[in-house]
Amino acid sequence: MKAVAIITARGGSKRIPRKNIREFNGKPIIAYSIEAAIESGMFDEVMVSTDDEEIAEISRKYGAKVPFMRSEKTSSDTATTADVLLEVFEEYEKRGMTFDYACCLYPTAPFVTEAKVKDAFEKLVESGADSIVPLTEFSYPPQRGLFIDDAGKVKMLHPEYATTRSQDLQKQYHECGQFYIFKVDEFKIQQDTTMENSIPYIIDQVATQDIDNESDWVLAELKYNFLKDRNLL
């Protein structure tokens, strides 16, 4: 069984410039994903897919390989994660290398640890599923969500749940945006990291944070330091 870890890190981040290599608690944020993949011991290859020479240099410094640069097509704003991953597999195949499993890690995921990656990988293999997807529970029931209509009035998205107790509503989850682990052959068919035969990997809300703007970045550092001070990372 051969496995590859792929960290997807293009250079053109817009909302937070140079986000993928910005310093997060003392080192480039991409280093956390690289180190988690390497230290998990689960991968024959840990690589970074990037179009940016500075990102490539920093990635190599922290132990990842950059065997080829990402194409212009998969570096655009419209390119999907699936596009990037398919290109990576194609480039490896040109070099005579194939993999049974792959892990796609995002470069701005400092809460990913070697223990989580190893545990999730082992759960996937034991289950026989096609992929494992990290999820966290919504902090508030989406069924009780509100919106503002064209007249500026507050409305319920699902008024049928207006009098339903929160504890009686079905739990709902969202992806954490940290990593996905999957069977490569199935991914090539379905071209999606969340497949028909996917299993969940539940992560506590404190240990996850989307980082799309400066406020998110501050929250991520606060959460990270909270967990680190309590030896929970």
Side-chain angles (χ1 to χ4, degrees):
M1 182 181 73
K2 294 193 67 177
V4 60
I6 304 165
I7 295 104
T8 57
R10 74 186 185 105
S13 54
K14 297 290 193 300
R15 288 172 290 189
I16 304 178
R18 311 302 290 162
K19 176 174 75 169
N20 293 332
I21 52 174
R22 178 170 166 173
E23 187 173 289
F24 184 95
N25 281 343
K27 61 186 175 184
I29 194 167
I30 194 173
Y32 294 88
S33 296
I34 294 171
E35 291 173 346
I38 293 172
E39 292 169 11
S40 74
M42 304 303 291
F43 304 103
D44 301 275
E45 185 102 332
V46 175
M47 67 88 68
V48 171
S49 170
T50 186
D51 59 324
D52 187 281
E53 289 292 348
E54 186 180 10
I55 292 176
E57 181 180 348
I58 290 172
S59 298
R60 293 187 186 102
K61 175 184 174 182
Y62 283 92
K65 295 181 179 179
V66 187
F68 42 82
M69 299 299 286
R70 190 187 296 193
S71 68
E72 183 177 346
K73 180 181 178 181
T74 57
S75 301
S76 70
D77 291 338
T78 57
T80 65
T81 298
D83 294 333
V84 174
L85 295 175
L86 289 169
E87 180 180 73
V88 168
F89 297 135
E90 181 180 345
E91 288 297 325
Y92 270 118
E93 287 168 7
K94 290 178 183 177
R95 292 158 174 78
M97 298 176 67
T98 59
F99 301 94
D100 302 297
Y101 288 89
C103 176
C104 172
L105 292 102
Y106 289 113
T108 54
F111 299 101
V112 174
T113 64
E114 63 272 18
K116 284 181 185 175
V117 172
K118 187 174 187 295
D119 186 43
F121 200 127
E122 291 174 346
K123 281 181 167 57
L124 173 62
V125 174
E126 290 169 5
S127 72
D130 295 331
S131 70
I132 188 165
V133 182
L135 304 176
T136 194
E137 187 180 347
F138 278 102
S139 60
Y140 185 84
Q143 300 96 322
R144 301 291 296 276
L146 306 172
F147 72 99
I148 301 172
D149 68 13
D150 294 338
K153 306 297 183 181
V154 177
K155 304 289 185 181
M156 284 199 72
L157 279 167
H158 302 285
E160 65 271 27
Y161 296 119
T163 59
T164 305
R165 299 184 309 166
S166 297
Q167 60 265 40
D168 294 332
L169 294 170
Q170 184 180 38
K171 287 185 178 181
Q172 293 190 30
Y173 301 83
H174 61 88
E175 295 182 20
C176 296
Q178 294 185 1
F179 65 91
Y180 307 91
I181 307 174
F182 52 89
K183 293 178 179 176
V184 174
D185 286 345
E186 283 299 323
F187 172 79
K188 289 179 179 178
I189 295 169
Q190 300 186 42
Q191 299 189 15
D192 193 344
T193 48
T194 303
M195 304 186 200
E196 292 181 7
N197 183 19
S198 291
I199 60 172
Y201 189 77
I202 306 301
I203 294 179
D204 190 274
Q205 295 172 19
V206 179
T208 180
Q209 176 66 47
D210 285 339
I211 305 179
D212 294 324
N213 54 50
E214 292 293 338
S215 295
D216 291 341
W217 193 282
V218 171
L219 284 172
E221 287 191 322
L222 288 171
K223 286 183 175 183
Y224 183 89
N225 287 324
F226 173 85
L227 293 169
K228 187 176 180 181
D229 290 344
R230 289 158 178 76
N231 295 315
L232 296 175
L233 277 174

